């Protein structure tokens, strides 16, 4: 009975963490790292061919077929693995795998659906910049969807309407790699 209660509490914790991370549009790796830290288990996502996509462990061969990892197939020929499982943690591992697989698949799908058309990227970036002071997590998710790298700082450059691109572009390139050129109309109030 005590063990069942522990598993129910763990299930509730997993759902809370998943809901928080998914609403923040966290990357699959971020979601799995937060869960790994909380649960004390490691996660691995591999392709069906065995290529490593995500790992929360420094183990040189994570997800090795030695019986200490549980696995579950995901869409697009991927496999989610949780480990190192012992006889004492087998029930926990099964519960975790069941609860986490759907969330990981959702974050993988969202990441794959990153926007590539200029109009939508522009809209997402502009919206993210406008809400960043009040909702930094929401803004971060929008920027990630727009394809803006999350692991490096970036700058926003604003030029007056009518500026010539030939004057601005060399300056931007000297500061780093430009991500997106946006031409926005300014409306007077």
């Amino acid at each position: 009975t005590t063990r069942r209660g522990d598993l129910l509490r763990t299930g509730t914790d997993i759902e809370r963490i998943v809901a928080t991370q998914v609403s923040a549009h966290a990357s699959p790796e971020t979601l799995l790292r937060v869960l790994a830290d909380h649960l004390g288990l490691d996660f691995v996502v591999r392709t069906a061919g065995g290529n490593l996509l995500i790992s929360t462990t420094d183990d040189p061969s994570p997800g090795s077929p030695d019986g200490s990892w549980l696995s579950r197939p995901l869409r697009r020929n991927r496999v989610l693995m949780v480990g190192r499982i012992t006889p004492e943690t087998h029930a926990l591992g099964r519960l975790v795998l069941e609860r986490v697989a759907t969330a990981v698949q959702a974050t993988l799908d969202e990441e794959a659906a990153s926007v590539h058309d200029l109009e939508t990227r522009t809209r997402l970036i502009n919206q993210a910049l406008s809400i960043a002071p009040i909702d930094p997590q929401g803004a971060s998710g929008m920027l990630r969807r727009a394809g803006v790298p999350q692991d490096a700082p970036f700058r926003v450059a604003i030029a007056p309407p009518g500026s010539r691109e030939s004057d601005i572009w060399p300056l931007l390139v000297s500061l780093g790699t430009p991500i997106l050129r946006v031409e926005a109309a300014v409306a007077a109030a």
Side-chain angles (χ1 to χ4, degrees):
T1 302
T2 302
R3 183 76 175 132
R4 189 176 302 145
D6 291 343
L7 289 174
L8 288 173
R9 277 188 291 284
T10 300
T12 302
D13 287 347
I14 292 169
E15 289 174 9
R16 178 185 48 78
I17 291 169
V18 164
T20 301
Q21 295 300 312
V22 169
S23 69
H25 302 283
S27 68
E29 184 171 2
T30 299
L31 170 66
L32 291 177
R33 286 198 182 281
V34 170
L35 286 165
D37 289 345
H38 181 77
L39 298 169
L41 295 170
D42 285 311
F43 293 93
V44 171
V45 177
R46 290 187 174 277
T47 63
N51 294 331
L52 185 64
L53 298 175
I54 301 170
S55 176
T56 63
T57 178
D58 294 330
D59 184 352
S61 60
S64 58
D66 61 5
S68 64
W69 290 81
L70 297 176
S71 65
R72 177 175 176 162
L74 300 172
R75 288 191 303 270
R76 299 183 69 200
N77 293 320
R78 295 177 176 152
V79 177
L80 172 65
M81 304 175 83
V82 63
R84 299 238 176 234
I85 301 298
T86 63
E88 295 80 28
T89 60
H90 193 268
L92 173 65
R94 285 187 13 237
L95 171 80
V96 166
L97 197 58
E98 192 66 32
R99 300 274 172 103
V100 172
T102 303
V104 170
Q105 185 64 61
T107 59
L108 287 167
D109 290 346
E110 182 177 341
E111 190 170 73
S114 289
V115 177
H116 297 292
D117 67 279
L118 181 61
E119 183 179 324
T120 306
R121 286 184 75 201
T122 302
R123 182 181 48 76
L124 284 171
I125 290 170
N126 285 335
Q127 191 174 5
L129 294 173
S130 69
I131 68 166
I134 55 173
D135 184 8
Q137 286 185 335
S140 178
M142 286 179 193
L143 290 173
R144 189 176 61 75
R145 254 199 98 218
V148 176
Q150 297 293 295
D151 55 352
F154 64 92
R155 297 177 188 160
V156 176
I158 300 173
S163 298
R164 293 188 341 220
E165 185 175 332
S166 61
D167 294 337
I168 298 169
W169 203 252
L171 177 60
L172 294 176
V173 171
S174 72
L175 296 172
T177 304
I179 297 172
L180 177 66
R181 184 185 80 197
V182 178
E183 292 180 16
V186 178

